Amino acid sequence: MTVVEADRAPSPVATRLGGRFRLDERINVGEHISGTCGASAEAGGLSLWKATDELLGRPVTIYLLPAGRPVPPDLAAAVLAAAKVSDPRLATIYDTDFSADRPYIVSEWATGMNLEDLVLSGLPSPALAAAMIADAADALAVAHQAGRPHLRLTPRSLRWEASTGLKITGLGLDAALCGSRPGEDPVLADTQALARMLYALLTGCWPGEEATALPPAPRYKGRVCTPRQVRAGVPALLDAITYQALRGQAPDAPARPLTPAALAMALRGVRRPSLWLVGPPELPGPELADHEAADGFDSVRRPGPGNPGSHAARRWAERGQALPRESVSRRRARHARARGGLLHHTTLLRSAV
């Protein structure tokens, strides 16, 4: 998260809030909430801070609201609803004080890079991208079940760190601070936003209309190109899931409504990866490469000098030992029977017994 040092000159903002939260560094709102909302919210008096909870000794995020103004009822309701949702992948609301001269909201401090910075620094493998968005969709399914959609998912709402996984920030808060599209289906809006993030992780391009730091996705005859048309190596299954979700269709059944839970279930069908970014690919044997490509298996799990003991490699080696090749005499006899019109429905490979 980008932070800027607080001015060294005396500031009207108290250095401590509630006698407990010490303000350390001011955060650029535009780096936390993407789009025009960041600048407009900051101009309206909102400021974000990295602070320290001196009682518990942990870093927190402080949403410092405009001084001398009543807190909007929809913001108070959004904070209350978000605080009731419990999932480790969703940034937790710790505390609020709306009665102070300078009202504030205390939220969990989310480490790691946001999706924009992650994509610009190097694309993850397709399998890791699927795993990341599957986890995000699972978390939002929990939030939707509790009646609290996000409503403003952007590339800066999702943060990733290899050691701790992902974290979604701004559940309900960003929409209350910045507004959401009127009349929009919240379930469909959140799920299509997840699909746009998945597309960005697969291709490095942004398929939505929002202004981001990522280049816009290429289009053909007005439609966004599929991930496989933009980047080689995207598995066909993942390509279909992403494209259907962008169009608002459930990946497993186009007639079924698209939801975070449906998207998560579809993405679980893609093999789980090791948590690495894409590096120089190893060169596997042709038989194993074809098998893994058909399964959506990524190069980071292929056997090689750095990974000689993958599950797929062992499975193929065991199969080669358990099923010896058919002898030449048996193969010639089978072909002769076929030419003579005899239909033998026998196994072509004998067992190891």
Side-chain angles (χ1 to χ4, degrees):
M1 182 176 292
T2 302
V3 295
V4 293
E5 292 187 3
D7 296 335
R8 297 186 181 276
S11 169
V13 177
T15 57
R16 280 177 176 78
L17 299 173
R20 169 180 178 180
F21 302 107
R22 185 186 72 241
L23 302 180
D24 297 327
E25 297 170 300
R26 185 165 178 172
I27 305 167
N28 185 343
V29 178
E31 292 294 328
H32 192 79
I33 306 174
S34 58
T36 57
C37 172
S40 61
E42 199 162 17
L46 173 71
S47 61
L48 296 180
W49 294 78
K50 181 181 180 181
T52 300
D53 182 345
E54 295 183 323
L55 181 61
L56 298 179
R58 64 184 178 187
V60 294
T61 302
I62 299 287
Y63 291 75
L64 199 57
L65 304 178
R69 300 184 194 174
V71 176
D74 57 342
L75 176 58
V79 171
L80 181 61
K84 295 179 180 179
V85 181
S86 178
D87 189 280
R89 296 160 295 191
L90 300 171
T92 306
I93 303 295
Y94 289 143
D95 197 6
T96 62
D97 190 348
F98 293 154
S99 61
D101 294 336
R102 195 71 192 266
Y104 61 87
I105 303 167
V106 184
S107 177
E108 179 181 357
W109 175 257
T111 59
M113 290 191 294
N114 63 44
L115 184 138
E116 272 188 3
D117 294 338
L118 178 66
V119 169
L120 291 173
S121 65
L123 294 180
S125 68
L128 177 54
M132 291 170 62
I133 300 304
D135 283 344
D138 270 339
L140 284 180
V142 173
H144 280 246
Q145 190 173 11
R148 178 66 273 174
H150 194 289
L151 297 176
R152 195 177 173 82
L153 274 172
T154 72
R156 296 176 188 172
S157 305
L158 189 150
R159 310 191 76 83
W160 169 260
E161 186 170 351
S163 59
T164 58
L166 68 87
K167 188 76 68 174
I168 297 175
T169 63
L171 179 69
L173 295 183
D174 290 356
L177 291 169
C178 302
S180 56
R181 296 177 182 176
E184 193 172 37
D185 180 358
V187 176
L188 183 61
D190 279 358
T191 317
Q192 286 187 299
L194 289 170
R196 290 192 288 272
M197 292 185 188
L198 177 57
Y199 188 100
L201 289 169
L202 293 173
T203 66
C205 303
W206 185 249
E209 302 296 333
E210 305 90 343
T212 70
L214 305 178
R219 294 174 180 266
Y220 178 72
K221 294 185 177 180
R223 285 193 174 185
V224 174
C225 295
T226 71
R228 281 170 69 91
Q229 293 172 327
V230 180
R231 178 188 174 193
V234 177
L237 174 62
L238 195 50
D239 181 78
I241 291 172
T242 307
Y243 190 67
Q244 287 181 345
L246 284 175
R247 300 177 62 185
Q249 297 177 344
D252 57 343
R256 184 182 303 173
L258 179 65
T259 64
L263 180 60
M265 183 178 298
L267 291 175
R268 294 302 181 197
V270 180
R271 285 185 181 272
R272 301 289 289 183
S274 56
L275 302 183
W276 304 340
L277 294 179
V278 165
E282 304 287 356
L283 296 178
E287 186 178 33
L288 181 58
D290 293 341
H291 173 71
E292 291 181 344
D295 278 348
F297 213 45
D298 193 78
S299 60
V300 296
R301 286 176 57 95
R302 290 174 180 166
N307 184 23
S310 73
H311 176 68
R314 292 195 304 271
R315 180 151 49 91
W316 275 90
E318 292 167 359
R319 178 178 296 182
Q321 295 173 2
L323 299 176
R325 298 181 63 182
E326 188 180 26
S327 67
V328 175
S329 59
R330 288 173 60 87
R331 191 160 57 244
R332 286 176 178 172
R334 177 169 50 81
H335 290 170
R337 288 195 300 268
R339 288 194 300 270
L342 295 176
L343 298 179
H344 269 264
H345 301 285
T346 59
T347 55
L348 301 184
L349 296 177
R350 58 188 176 89
S351 65
V353 180

